[in-house]
mmCIF file of all heavy atoms in Angstrom:
data_model
loop_
_atom_site.group_PDB
_atom_site.id
_atom_site.type_symbol
_atom_site.label_atom_id
_atom_site.label_comp_id
_atom_site.label_asym_id
_atom_site.label_seq_id
_atom_site.Cartn_x
_atom_site.Cartn_y
_atom_site.Cartn_z
ATOM 1 N N LYS A 12 19.946 11.117 36.291
ATOM 2 C CA LYS A 12 20.620 11.769 37.412
ATOM 3 C C LYS A 12 21.010 13.201 37.060
ATOM 4 O O LYS A 12 21.297 13.519 35.915
ATOM 5 C CB LYS A 12 21.832 10.966 37.882
ATOM 6 C CG LYS A 12 22.848 10.632 36.833
ATOM 7 C CD LYS A 12 23.939 9.733 37.413
ATOM 8 C CE LYS A 12 24.772 9.138 36.287
ATOM 9 N NZ LYS A 12 25.798 8.256 36.790
ATOM 10 N N ASN A 13 20.961 14.036 38.079
ATOM 11 C CA ASN A 13 21.382 15.432 38.006
ATOM 12 C C ASN A 13 20.758 16.171 36.815
ATOM 13 O O ASN A 13 21.439 16.579 35.892
ATOM 14 C CB ASN A 13 22.904 15.535 37.989
ATOM 15 C CG ASN A 13 23.501 14.990 39.261
ATOM 16 O OD1 ASN A 13 22.938 15.154 40.341
ATOM 17 N ND2 ASN A 13 24.626 14.315 39.159
ATOM 18 N N ILE A 14 19.453 16.367 36.893
ATOM 19 C CA ILE A 14 18.703 17.028 35.833
ATOM 20 C C ILE A 14 18.668 18.537 36.113
ATOM 21 O O ILE A 14 18.343 18.952 37.222
ATOM 22 C CB ILE A 14 17.261 16.486 35.746
ATOM 23 C CG1 ILE A 14 17.270 14.971 35.509
ATOM 24 C CG2 ILE A 14 16.478 17.165 34.637
ATOM 25 C CD1 ILE A 14 16.898 14.198 36.717
ATOM 26 N N SER A 15 19.005 19.323 35.097
ATOM 27 C CA SER A 15 18.985 20.784 35.203
ATOM 28 C C SER A 15 18.231 21.355 34.021
ATOM 29 O O SER A 15 18.299 20.830 32.911
ATOM 30 C CB SER A 15 20.402 21.357 35.180
ATOM 31 O OG SER A 15 21.142 20.912 36.278
ATOM 32 N N THR A 16 17.554 22.450 34.256
ATOM 33 C CA THR A 16 16.848 23.153 33.192
ATOM 34 C C THR A 16 17.817 24.085 32.474
ATOM 35 O O THR A 16 18.598 24.793 33.106
ATOM 36 C CB THR A 16 15.674 23.961 33.783
ATOM 37 O OG1 THR A 16 14.796 23.060 34.447
ATOM 38 C CG2 THR A 16 14.902 24.708 32.711
ATOM 39 N N THR A 17 17.754 24.077 31.152
ATOM 40 C CA THR A 17 18.592 24.962 30.338
ATOM 41 C C THR A 17 17.929 26.334 30.231
ATOM 42 O O THR A 17 16.783 26.520 30.646
ATOM 43 C CB THR A 17 18.757 24.386 28.922
ATOM 44 O OG1 THR A 17 17.469 24.354 28.285
ATOM 45 C CG2 THR A 17 19.369 22.992 28.944
ATOM 46 N N GLU A 18 18.635 27.272 29.643
ATOM 47 C CA GLU A 18 18.056 28.594 29.411
ATOM 48 C C GLU A 18 16.816 28.490 28.513
ATOM 49 O O GLU A 18 15.837 29.186 28.726
ATOM 50 C CB GLU A 18 19.080 29.544 28.795
ATOM 51 C CG GLU A 18 20.150 30.003 29.772
ATOM 52 C CD GLU A 18 19.573 30.717 30.982
ATOM 53 O OE1 GLU A 18 18.663 31.559 30.831
ATOM 54 O OE2 GLU A 18 20.036 30.430 32.105
ATOM 55 N N LYS A 19 16.872 27.603 27.518
ATOM 56 C CA LYS A 19 15.714 27.396 26.645
ATOM 57 C C LYS A 19 14.527 26.874 27.452
ATOM 58 O O LYS A 19 13.391 27.287 27.245
ATOM 59 C CB LYS A 19 16.064 26.416 25.526
ATOM 60 C CG LYS A 19 14.924 26.183 24.557
ATOM 61 C CD LYS A 19 15.323 25.239 23.430
ATOM 62 C CE LYS A 19 14.153 25.023 22.488
ATOM 63 N NZ LYS A 19 14.499 24.120 21.384
ATOM 64 N N GLY A 20 14.797 25.969 28.404
ATOM 65 C CA GLY A 20 13.740 25.441 29.264
ATOM 66 C C GLY A 20 13.159 26.513 30.178
ATOM 67 O O GLY A 20 11.947 26.570 30.392
ATOM 68 N N LYS A 21 14.018 27.369 30.724
ATOM 69 C CA LYS A 21 13.544 28.478 31.563
ATOM 70 C C LYS A 21 12.639 29.404 30.765
ATOM 71 O O LYS A 21 11.580 29.817 31.240
ATOM 72 C CB LYS A 21 14.725 29.268 32.127
ATOM 73 C CG LYS A 21 15.507 28.548 33.187
ATOM 74 C CD LYS A 21 16.683 29.395 33.642
ATOM 75 C CE LYS A 21 17.618 28.609 34.523
ATOM 76 N NZ LYS A 21 18.789 29.384 34.935
ATOM 77 N N LYS A 22 13.079 29.717 29.547
ATOM 78 C CA LYS A 22 12.294 30.601 28.697
ATOM 79 C C LYS A 22 10.938 29.967 28.376
ATOM 80 O O LYS A 22 9.903 30.630 28.455
ATOM 81 C CB LYS A 22 13.059 30.892 27.408
ATOM 82 C CG LYS A 22 12.354 31.829 26.479
ATOM 83 C CD LYS A 22 13.178 32.107 25.225
ATOM 84 C CE LYS A 22 12.384 33.008 24.300
ATOM 85 N NZ LYS A 22 13.072 33.244 23.043
ATOM 86 N N TYR A 23 10.937 28.680 28.044
ATOM 87 C CA TYR A 23 9.687 27.975 27.748
ATOM 88 C C TYR A 23 8.750 28.014 28.958
ATOM 89 O O TYR A 23 7.565 28.279 28.825
ATOM 90 C CB TYR A 23 9.988 26.528 27.356
ATOM 91 C CG TYR A 23 8.750 25.733 27.051
ATOM 92 C CD1 TYR A 23 8.205 25.728 25.775
ATOM 93 C CD2 TYR A 23 8.111 24.981 28.041
ATOM 94 C CE1 TYR A 23 7.056 25.008 25.481
ATOM 95 C CE2 TYR A 23 6.966 24.261 27.769
ATOM 96 C CZ TYR A 23 6.446 24.276 26.487
ATOM 97 O OH TYR A 23 5.300 23.563 26.216
ATOM 98 N N PHE A 24 9.310 27.753 30.143
ATOM 99 C CA PHE A 24 8.510 27.782 31.365
ATOM 100 C C PHE A 24 7.869 29.157 31.540
ATOM 101 O O PHE A 24 6.659 29.265 31.756
ATOM 102 C CB PHE A 24 9.373 27.431 32.585
ATOM 103 C CG PHE A 24 8.631 27.565 33.880
ATOM 104 C CD1 PHE A 24 7.844 26.532 34.344
ATOM 105 C CD2 PHE A 24 8.702 28.732 34.624
ATOM 106 C CE1 PHE A 24 7.129 26.652 35.529
ATOM 107 C CE2 PHE A 24 7.997 28.868 35.812
ATOM 108 C CZ PHE A 24 7.212 27.828 36.264
ATOM 109 N N LEU A 25 8.670 30.197 31.468
ATOM 110 C CA LEU A 25 8.162 31.552 31.694
ATOM 111 C C LEU A 25 7.126 31.964 30.651
ATOM 112 O O LEU A 25 6.170 32.681 30.978
ATOM 113 C CB LEU A 25 9.327 32.544 31.731
ATOM 114 C CG LEU A 25 10.271 32.371 32.927
ATOM 115 C CD1 LEU A 25 11.500 33.251 32.767
ATOM 116 C CD2 LEU A 25 9.562 32.627 34.242
ATOM 117 N N GLU A 26 7.299 31.507 29.415
ATOM 118 C CA GLU A 26 6.352 31.847 28.356
ATOM 119 C C GLU A 26 5.038 31.073 28.462
ATOM 120 O O GLU A 26 4.014 31.521 27.952
ATOM 121 C CB GLU A 26 6.969 31.588 26.982
ATOM 122 C CG GLU A 26 8.057 32.574 26.617
ATOM 123 C CD GLU A 26 8.771 32.220 25.319
ATOM 124 O OE1 GLU A 26 8.529 31.129 24.749
ATOM 125 O OE2 GLU A 26 9.593 33.048 24.878
ATOM 126 N N ASN A 27 5.066 29.906 29.115
ATOM 127 C CA ASN A 27 3.895 29.038 29.109
ATOM 128 C C ASN A 27 3.202 28.868 30.452
ATOM 129 O O ASN A 27 2.095 28.333 30.499
ATOM 130 C CB ASN A 27 4.277 27.661 28.550
ATOM 131 C CG ASN A 27 4.544 27.739 27.078
ATOM 132 O OD1 ASN A 27 3.630 27.789 26.279
ATOM 133 N ND2 ASN A 27 5.814 27.789 26.708
ATOM 134 N N ILE A 28 3.799 29.332 31.523
ATOM 135 C CA ILE A 28 3.207 29.106 32.840
ATOM 136 C C ILE A 28 1.834 29.753 32.975
ATOM 137 O O ILE A 28 0.928 29.188 33.598
ATOM 138 C CB ILE A 28 4.161 29.556 33.978
ATOM 139 C CG1 ILE A 28 3.620 29.117 35.330
ATOM 140 C CG2 ILE A 28 4.396 31.057 33.947
ATOM 141 C CD1 ILE A 28 3.475 27.629 35.494
ATOM 142 N N ASN A 29 1.627 30.898 32.378
ATOM 143 C CA ASN A 29 0.335 31.570 32.494
ATOM 144 C C ASN A 29 -0.697 31.055 31.498
ATOM 145 O O ASN A 29 -1.849 31.474 31.548
ATOM 146 C CB ASN A 29 0.510 33.079 32.353
ATOM 147 C CG ASN A 29 1.258 33.648 33.533
ATOM 148 O OD1 ASN A 29 1.029 33.255 34.669
ATOM 149 N ND2 ASN A 29 2.178 34.553 33.267
ATOM 150 N N LYS A 30 -0.294 30.162 30.614
ATOM 151 C CA LYS A 30 -1.208 29.586 29.628
ATOM 152 C C LYS A 30 -1.764 28.239 30.089
ATOM 153 O O LYS A 30 -2.632 27.683 29.431
ATOM 154 C CB LYS A 30 -0.485 29.386 28.298
ATOM 155 C CG LYS A 30 0.032 30.656 27.679
ATOM 156 C CD LYS A 30 0.821 30.344 26.422
ATOM 157 C CE LYS A 30 1.518 31.578 25.887
ATOM 158 N NZ LYS A 30 2.384 31.244 24.737
ATOM 159 N N ILE A 31 -1.252 27.735 31.188
ATOM 160 C CA ILE A 31 -1.610 26.386 31.639
ATOM 161 C C ILE A 31 -3.069 26.331 32.089
ATOM 162 O O ILE A 31 -3.588 27.273 32.667
ATOM 163 C CB ILE A 31 -0.655 25.912 32.762
ATOM 164 C CG1 ILE A 31 -0.726 24.418 32.946
ATOM 165 C CG2 ILE A 31 -0.930 26.607 34.069
ATOM 166 C CD1 ILE A 31 -0.117 23.651 31.846
ATOM 167 N N SER A 32 -3.685 25.221 31.797
ATOM 168 C CA SER A 32 -5.064 24.981 32.202
ATOM 169 C C SER A 32 -5.118 23.657 32.954
ATOM 170 O O SER A 32 -4.713 22.621 32.418
ATOM 171 C CB SER A 32 -5.961 24.936 30.965
ATOM 172 O OG SER A 32 -7.257 24.541 31.322
ATOM 173 N N ILE A 33 -5.593 23.699 34.185
ATOM 174 C CA ILE A 33 -5.676 22.479 34.994
ATOM 175 C C ILE A 33 -7.077 21.897 34.847
ATOM 176 O O ILE A 33 -8.056 22.584 35.124
ATOM 177 C CB ILE A 33 -5.382 22.774 36.483
ATOM 178 C CG1 ILE A 33 -3.965 23.321 36.637
ATOM 179 C CG2 ILE A 33 -5.580 21.532 37.337
ATOM 180 C CD1 ILE A 33 -3.619 23.782 38.022
ATOM 181 N N PRO A 34 -7.169 20.633 34.416
ATOM 182 C CA PRO A 34 -8.492 20.001 34.311
ATOM 183 C C PRO A 34 -9.076 19.789 35.711
ATOM 184 O O PRO A 34 -8.733 18.840 36.404
ATOM 185 C CB PRO A 34 -8.217 18.687 33.584
ATOM 186 C CG PRO A 34 -6.759 18.432 33.733
ATOM 187 C CD PRO A 34 -6.101 19.759 33.990
ATOM 188 N N THR A 35 -9.928 20.701 36.138
ATOM 189 C CA THR A 35 -10.400 20.720 37.521
ATOM 190 C C THR A 35 -11.251 19.516 37.910
ATOM 191 O O THR A 35 -11.276 19.145 39.071
ATOM 192 C CB THR A 35 -11.187 22.004 37.815
ATOM 193 O OG1 THR A 35 -12.239 22.118 36.875
ATOM 194 C CG2 THR A 35 -10.281 23.216 37.746
ATOM 195 N N ASP A 36 -11.930 18.908 36.957
ATOM 196 C CA ASP A 36 -12.758 17.766 37.337
ATOM 197 C C ASP A 36 -11.908 16.587 37.792
ATOM 198 O O ASP A 36 -12.340 15.794 38.619
ATOM 199 C CB ASP A 36 -13.695 17.347 36.201
ATOM 200 C CG ASP A 36 -12.996 17.120 34.887
ATOM 201 O OD1 ASP A 36 -11.942 17.737 34.652
ATOM 202 O OD2 ASP A 36 -13.511 16.319 34.085
ATOM 203 N N ASP A 37 -10.692 16.462 37.294
ATOM 204 C CA ASP A 37 -9.817 15.365 37.692
ATOM 205 C C ASP A 37 -8.868 15.740 38.831
ATOM 206 O O ASP A 37 -8.484 14.899 39.622
ATOM 207 C CB ASP A 37 -8.964 14.900 36.503
ATOM 208 C CG ASP A 37 -9.797 14.263 35.417
ATOM 209 O OD1 ASP A 37 -10.808 13.629 35.758
ATOM 210 O OD2 ASP A 37 -9.439 14.406 34.242
ATOM 211 N N LEU A 38 -8.480 16.999 38.891
ATOM 212 C CA LEU A 38 -7.432 17.407 39.827
ATOM 213 C C LEU A 38 -7.884 18.457 40.826
ATOM 214 O O LEU A 38 -7.061 19.131 41.421
ATOM 215 C CB LEU A 38 -6.233 17.940 39.029
ATOM 216 C CG LEU A 38 -5.574 16.937 38.092
ATOM 217 C CD1 LEU A 38 -4.525 17.628 37.238
ATOM 218 C CD2 LEU A 38 -4.967 15.784 38.867
ATOM 219 N N SER A 39 -9.177 18.592 41.044
ATOM 220 C CA SER A 39 -9.687 19.666 41.898
ATOM 221 C C SER A 39 -9.103 19.627 43.308
ATOM 222 O O SER A 39 -8.857 20.671 43.901
ATOM 223 C CB SER A 39 -11.211 19.635 41.952
ATOM 224 O OG SER A 39 -11.663 18.417 42.503
ATOM 225 N N LEU A 40 -8.867 18.449 43.833
ATOM 226 C CA LEU A 40 -8.318 18.340 45.186
ATOM 227 C C LEU A 40 -6.820 18.608 45.235
ATOM 228 O O LEU A 40 -6.259 18.781 46.311
ATOM 229 C CB LEU A 40 -8.617 16.954 45.764
ATOM 230 C CG LEU A 40 -10.096 16.605 45.904
ATOM 231 C CD1 LEU A 40 -10.262 15.168 46.394
ATOM 232 C CD2 LEU A 40 -10.800 17.573 46.835
ATOM 233 N N LYS A 41 -6.182 18.654 44.089
ATOM 234 C CA LYS A 41 -4.727 18.812 44.034
ATOM 235 C C LYS A 41 -4.286 20.170 43.498
ATOM 236 O O LYS A 41 -3.101 20.414 43.337
ATOM 237 C CB LYS A 41 -4.121 17.716 43.145
ATOM 238 C CG LYS A 41 -4.491 16.310 43.525
ATOM 239 C CD LYS A 41 -3.899 15.924 44.851
ATOM 240 C CE LYS A 41 -4.261 14.475 45.175
ATOM 241 N NZ LYS A 41 -3.692 14.029 46.407
ATOM 242 N N ILE A 42 -5.227 21.068 43.222
ATOM 243 C CA ILE A 42 -4.889 22.348 42.594
ATOM 244 C C ILE A 42 -3.872 23.133 43.433
ATOM 245 O O ILE A 42 -2.919 23.680 42.894
ATOM 246 C CB ILE A 42 -6.150 23.185 42.307
ATOM 247 C CG1 ILE A 42 -6.903 22.546 41.144
ATOM 248 C CG2 ILE A 42 -5.792 24.632 41.983
ATOM 249 C CD1 ILE A 42 -8.206 23.217 40.794
ATOM 250 N N ASP A 43 -4.050 23.179 44.740
ATOM 251 C CA ASP A 43 -3.116 23.934 45.575
ATOM 252 C C ASP A 43 -1.703 23.364 45.501
ATOM 253 O O ASP A 43 -0.726 24.112 45.457
ATOM 254 C CB ASP A 43 -3.595 23.979 47.025
ATOM 255 C CG ASP A 43 -4.816 24.875 47.207
ATOM 256 O OD1 ASP A 43 -5.031 25.762 46.355
ATOM 257 O OD2 ASP A 43 -5.558 24.672 48.180
ATOM 258 N N LYS A 44 -1.595 22.041 45.482
ATOM 259 C CA LYS A 44 -0.264 21.420 45.376
ATOM 260 C C LYS A 44 0.347 21.682 44.003
ATOM 261 O O LYS A 44 1.544 21.940 43.898
ATOM 262 C CB LYS A 44 -0.348 19.919 45.636
ATOM 263 C CG LYS A 44 -0.540 19.580 47.090
ATOM 264 C CD LYS A 44 -0.494 18.091 47.315
ATOM 265 C CE LYS A 44 -0.692 17.786 48.787
ATOM 266 N NZ LYS A 44 -0.592 16.368 49.077
ATOM 267 N N ILE A 45 -0.458 21.597 42.961
ATOM 268 C CA ILE A 45 0.045 21.870 41.615
ATOM 269 C C ILE A 45 0.559 23.304 41.542
ATOM 270 O O ILE A 45 1.652 23.555 41.030
ATOM 271 C CB ILE A 45 -1.046 21.611 40.552
ATOM 272 C CG1 ILE A 45 -1.336 20.111 40.461
ATOM 273 C CG2 ILE A 45 -0.626 22.163 39.194
ATOM 274 C CD1 ILE A 45 -2.554 19.758 39.640
ATOM 275 N N LYS A 46 -0.211 24.247 42.064
ATOM 276 C CA LYS A 46 0.211 25.647 42.083
ATOM 277 C C LYS A 46 1.521 25.803 42.846
ATOM 278 O O LYS A 46 2.410 26.562 42.436
ATOM 279 C CB LYS A 46 -0.864 26.518 42.709
ATOM 280 C CG LYS A 46 -2.093 26.705 41.856
ATOM 281 C CD LYS A 46 -3.094 27.569 42.589
ATOM 282 C CE LYS A 46 -4.374 27.757 41.828
ATOM 283 N NZ LYS A 46 -5.331 28.610 42.561
ATOM 284 N N MET A 47 1.657 25.093 43.963
ATOM 285 C CA MET A 47 2.883 25.178 44.750
ATOM 286 C C MET A 47 4.079 24.698 43.927
ATOM 287 O O MET A 47 5.120 25.374 43.877
ATOM 288 C CB MET A 47 2.750 24.321 46.022
ATOM 289 C CG MET A 47 4.021 24.291 46.863
ATOM 290 S SD MET A 47 3.941 23.080 48.194
ATOM 291 C CE MET A 47 4.009 21.548 47.284
ATOM 292 N N TYR A 48 3.948 23.547 43.267
ATOM 293 C CA TYR A 48 5.050 23.024 42.466
ATOM 294 C C TYR A 48 5.369 23.896 41.258
ATOM 295 O O TYR A 48 6.505 23.967 40.822
ATOM 296 C CB TYR A 48 4.773 21.579 42.028
ATOM 297 C CG TYR A 48 4.879 20.591 43.156
ATOM 298 C CD1 TYR A 48 3.792 19.832 43.533
ATOM 299 C CD2 TYR A 48 6.065 20.427 43.856
ATOM 300 C CE1 TYR A 48 3.881 18.922 44.578
ATOM 301 C CE2 TYR A 48 6.170 19.534 44.903
ATOM 302 C CZ TYR A 48 5.066 18.775 45.261
ATOM 303 O OH TYR A 48 5.166 17.887 46.290
ATOM 304 N N LEU A 49 4.356 24.577 40.730
ATOM 305 C CA LEU A 49 4.567 25.466 39.596
ATOM 306 C C LEU A 49 5.007 26.857 40.033
ATOM 307 O O LEU A 49 5.438 27.656 39.206
ATOM 308 C CB LEU A 49 3.290 25.567 38.746
ATOM 309 C CG LEU A 49 2.903 24.311 37.971
ATOM 310 C CD1 LEU A 49 1.549 24.472 37.340
ATOM 311 C CD2 LEU A 49 3.960 23.977 36.922
ATOM 312 N N GLY A 50 4.885 27.144 41.323
ATOM 313 C CA GLY A 50 5.321 28.448 41.833
ATOM 314 C C GLY A 50 4.390 29.583 41.473
ATOM 315 O O GLY A 50 4.841 30.700 41.251
#
């Protein structure tokens, strides 16, 4: 219950969001939704 991201988590997110690789063969139909959730 009541999960919040810490400053360390925010920093990790910002440092790694552009490094992410989506396996397109498995998730090709969901890429737009994944992008939406990742912002």
Side-chain angles (χ1 to χ4, degrees):
K12 55 185 167 181
N13 297 323
I14 302 106
S15 297
T16 301
T17 64
E18 287 301 316
K19 182 178 180 180
K21 289 178 190 178
K22 182 179 177 184
Y23 179 87
F24 175 84
L25 293 171
E26 289 174 353
N27 289 282
I28 189 61
N29 292 319
K30 299 176 188 175
I31 197 71
S32 173
I33 299 174
T35 55
D36 52 332
D37 293 327
L38 298 173
S39 61
L40 299 176
K41 306 293 182 178
I42 288 177
D43 289 338
K44 285 185 180 183
I45 291 169
K46 288 179 182 180
M47 177 189 70
Y48 288 119
L49 291 172

